[in-house]
Amino acid sequence: CTPINAFFGVSANVSVHLEKHGLQPDMYLLSWFLTLFAKSVNIDVASRMFDGYFGMGEIFVYRAAIGLLKHLNQQFGLVQMEFDECFELLTHVPQDINEEHLFSCIREI
């Protein structure tokens, strides 16, 4: 488990799976962080992400990243995907993402 995956508290199976396929966090997190997720999610989710950032500060960005990974695993089976599918999902989050489930995952962090 890489230090950043351990830091994010990503469950061991997600972390191991991503590492097994050579998917390092910097391959998807940079875009998420630099745009506050606006490039990766639909406008409604992005608006809530911005609200969270302005309301809670920088820590929200990390919580959101962990929550998004958790959501993607629960909703799309991230740990059962091959490299190409994982990379596509992490870099092009589906626009019809279940917003309530995502923010539930974020609140749990």
Side-chain angles (χ1 to χ4, degrees), residues 59-95:
I59 192 67
F60 178 80
V61 177
Y62 298 104
R63 292 179 64 198
I66 298 165
L68 182 54
L69 286 171
K70 183 176 181 179
H71 171 77
L72 293 174
N73 187 46
Q74 290 178 356
Q75 294 293 300
F76 300 99
L78 187 61
V79 296
Q80 297 168 3
M81 295 179 175
E82 297 300 322
F83 174 88
D84 293 341
E85 295 170 304
C86 287
F87 185 75
E88 181 68 22
L89 183 61
L90 294 171
T91 58
H92 298 93
V93 176
Q95 293 298 297

Side-chain angles (χ1 to χ4, degrees), residues 17-99:
H17 181 75
L18 294 177
E19 282 186 13
K20 176 180 135 187
H21 290 294
L23 280 161
Q24 297 301 316
D26 59 339
M27 295 172 79
Y28 52 91
L29 284 179
L30 187 60
S31 175
W32 291 1
F33 288 173
L34 289 177
T35 65
L36 286 177
F37 304 91
K39 182 179 172 188
S40 303
V41 297
N42 68 50
I43 190 71
D44 294 329
V45 173
S47 295
R48 287 183 68 181
M49 293 289 200
F50 273 77
D51 287 346
Y53 173 73
F54 291 124
M56 293 184 219
E58 186 177 326
I59 192 67
F60 178 80
V61 177
Y62 298 104
R63 292 179 64 198
I66 298 165
L68 182 54
L69 286 171
K70 183 176 181 179
H71 171 77
L72 293 174
N73 187 46
Q74 290 178 356
Q75 294 293 300
F76 300 99
L78 187 61
V79 296
Q80 297 168 3
M81 295 179 175
E82 297 300 322
F83 174 88
D84 293 341
E85 295 170 304
C86 287
F87 185 75
E88 181 68 22
L89 183 61
L90 294 171
T91 58
H92 298 93
V93 176
Q95 293 298 297
D96 62 346
I97 192 169
N98 182 328
E99 185 176 343

Side-chain angles (χ1 to χ4, degrees), residues 5-23:
N5 281 343
F7 171 75
F8 281 144
V10 177
S11 65
N13 61 339
V14 172
S15 179
V16 168
H17 181 75
L18 294 177
E19 282 186 13
K20 176 180 135 187
H21 290 294
L23 280 161

